[in-house]
Amino acid sequence: MPCFRYPILIFIFIFSLNQVDLLENGVARTPPMGWMSWGYYMCSIKCERESDKCLNEQLIMSVADTFYNEGYQEAGYEYIIVDDCWAEKHRDEHGRLVPDKKRFPRGMKFLADYIHSKGLKFGMYTNLGPTTCMHFPASQGHFSIDAKTFAEWGIDYLKVDGCFIQENILNEGYIDLGEFLRKTGRDIVYSCSWPYYIQFIYNKEPDLERVGRYCNLWRNYHDVMTSWTSIINVIDFYEMNYKQLSPYHGPGHWNDPDMLILGTGALTDSQSRVHLAVYAMMSAPLLLSCDMAKLTNYEKKILQNLDLIAIAQDTLGIMAEPHTLGSGVTLWVKPHEPRKGNKYPSFSFAYVNMAIFEKEILSTPLIYGLNSSDSYTIYDVFSGSYIKNITRDERIKVTVPGHDVVLYTFYPL
């Protein structure tokens, strides 16, 4: 019966996690939040010519300062991650990776210590192949020494790419490198691109159960680009593949749709709301990639919306289920804390309109799993206002402008 649908799904979700031998290294119990260099800065190494867009020590320190001084840290953003293009072109005489001496003159241990002094966490990047995707030294043949080096530098997060390697090495390399990281004794979030390369390079179905045994989060789809079209493509992928992806998603193990592109000038305010709301509903990592100084006041406001972040960081970690309601309109439904009497969860509904024109949406919460026979109060997450109280079988009408979202949370009374 429809009214029991979501309690059953919650039970199945928890039961399935207990049955699957997933990685349990104690980290990433909620989806990581922070900043990553690649989406906006990419391989910005020509600092003499482009000093305003340079991947260097000053940039990383400035992000840490912004997180610390402007409320991002308090909102939950904690990881600052240097992506590709950070290294010298050759290892040292001991076989160790070397940070670029001009752009990172004091080294990565200095950066890690600086970031840790702010109460934040530091992340880095490598590749399973002989070189990174941008042809800098990578970790193939050096798993042991690289894991020790990263741990000695004090990293808390490692993003591992999968360029330029054969399928069999891909399938074994993530396991082997993860084991060397574990042996360092340091708590390191392990971010893999494993499923992406299996699906889009080798055209095979990824074994997400196996991936979940060894990785804390994993990329499923193409790199996000700084465009609204790219965001549409990402959201469409997760909507179409929900049934395949959701069973392996939860505390310590996350599907990763890639970075947030707020602050790049690519999105309108309404498109930014869609981008952030769907990621929050999916319990996706929230990793910004932008010049932090270019975030608008409105972007900063929604990035620090604590009601939205509570949905994204909910400890149940359930990936919202999408329901197609019409052309361009999807309702994403997510049960989460707080629960009434440890039995009746709250629910968030994201009414997403990808069409150009305004849409009027009618829905009955009972159909989507609200299970308390008492009433619910409806809270508008973006406006910060309570709408009204309803019973679960009442019909509600929502008007959503084009390229926009209405995000309601239903709290059981």
Side-chain angles (χ1 to χ4, degrees), residues 151-184:
E152 288 169 5
W153 285 347
I155 73 163
D156 307 289
Y157 182 116
L158 185 64
K159 174 181 174 180
V160 183
D161 222 329
C163 289
F164 315 129
I165 51 177
Q166 297 174 341
E167 182 183 356
N168 63 318
I169 299 175
L170 189 73
N171 284 328
E172 298 304 323
Y174 279 106
I175 299 171
D176 293 342
L177 179 54
E179 179 62 14
F180 281 113
L181 290 173
R182 186 191 66 79
K183 287 179 179 178
T184 68

Side-chain angles (χ1 to χ4, degrees), residues 127-405:
N127 184 55
L128 286 182
T131 70
T132 71
C133 297
M134 298 305 294
H135 306 289
F136 289 80
S139 292
Q140 189 174 35
H142 300 87
F143 287 175
S144 177
I145 193 170
D146 286 358
K148 291 176 182 176
T149 299
F150 290 135
E152 288 169 5
W153 285 347
I155 73 163
D156 307 289
Y157 182 116
L158 185 64
K159 174 181 174 180
V160 183
D161 222 329
C163 289
F164 315 129
I165 51 177
Q166 297 174 341
E167 182 183 356
N168 63 318
I169 299 175
L170 189 73
N171 284 328
E172 298 304 323
Y174 279 106
I175 299 171
D176 293 342
L177 179 54
E179 179 62 14
F180 281 113
L181 290 173
R182 186 191 66 79
K183 287 179 179 178
T184 68
R186 184 168 181 83
D187 292 336
I188 298 173
V189 175
Y190 190 31
S191 171
C192 306
S193 297
W194 188 356
Y196 169 78
Y197 285 92
I198 292 296
Q199 181 165 355
F200 290 97
I201 302 301
Y202 293 104
N203 301 310
K204 294 183 179 179
E205 190 72 22
D207 184 349
L208 291 181
E209 181 177 342
R210 190 179 187 210
V211 171
R213 294 179 200 154
Y214 301 102
C215 303
N216 292 117
L217 62 155
W218 46 83
R219 287 284 307 284
N220 309 93
Y221 191 61
H222 303 297
D223 283 2
V224 70
M225 307 300 288
T226 52
S227 74
W228 172 237
T229 299
S230 178
I231 299 306
I232 292 173
N233 291 337
V234 170
I235 292 174
D236 283 349
F237 174 84
Y238 282 89
E239 182 175 347
M240 290 186 294
N241 292 278
Y242 166 80
K243 290 183 180 179
Q244 291 76 32
L245 299 176
S246 60
Y248 306 101
H249 181 98
H253 317 93
W254 310 103
N255 294 297
D256 178 8
D258 209 10
M259 293 158 277
L260 297 169
I261 61 167
L262 282 75
T264 64
L267 305 177
T268 65
D269 285 351
S270 66
Q271 291 166 355
S272 295
R273 283 193 293 273
V274 171
H275 185 19
L276 191 53
V278 174
Y279 274 41
M281 291 291 287
M282 291 197 302
S283 286
L286 300 182
L287 298 172
L288 279 161
S289 191
C290 64
D291 180 339
M292 293 297 293
K294 293 183 178 179
L295 284 160
T296 67
N297 288 334
Y298 182 74
E299 287 172 324
K300 180 177 178 179
K301 177 183 177 182
I302 62 173
L303 284 167
Q304 297 187 16
N305 181 322
L306 298 185
D307 297 307
L308 181 68
I309 289 172
I311 297 169
Q313 291 282 291
D314 178 64
T315 55
L316 296 180
I318 297 172
M319 185 177 178
E321 182 174 2
H323 302 269
T324 302
L325 301 185
S327 179
V329 177
T330 300
L331 170 60
W332 295 79
V333 178
K334 177 183 179 71
H336 56 77
E337 300 283 7
R339 285 176 285 186
K340 178 183 176 183
N342 205 33
K343 183 176 181 182
Y344 304 112
S346 303
F347 282 80
S348 285
F349 283 25
Y351 300 87
V352 178
N353 180 12
M354 291 296 204
I356 298 174
F357 302 107
E358 179 180 282
K359 300 277 187 171
E360 188 175 276
I361 303 168
L362 294 172
S363 64
T364 305
L366 171 65
I367 296 174
Y368 302 103
L370 275 72
N371 60 333
S372 174
S373 58
D374 295 326
S375 60
Y376 289 79
T377 190
I378 305 176
Y379 181 74
D380 186 323
V381 172
F382 282 113
S383 73
S385 59
Y386 288 93
I387 306 301
K388 63 178 180 178
N389 294 347
I390 63 161
T391 61
R392 62 181 183 169
D393 55 356
E394 285 186 49
R395 207 174 191 197
I396 60 174
K397 181 171 69 175
V398 179
T399 300
V400 188
H403 293 179
D404 209 341
V405 58

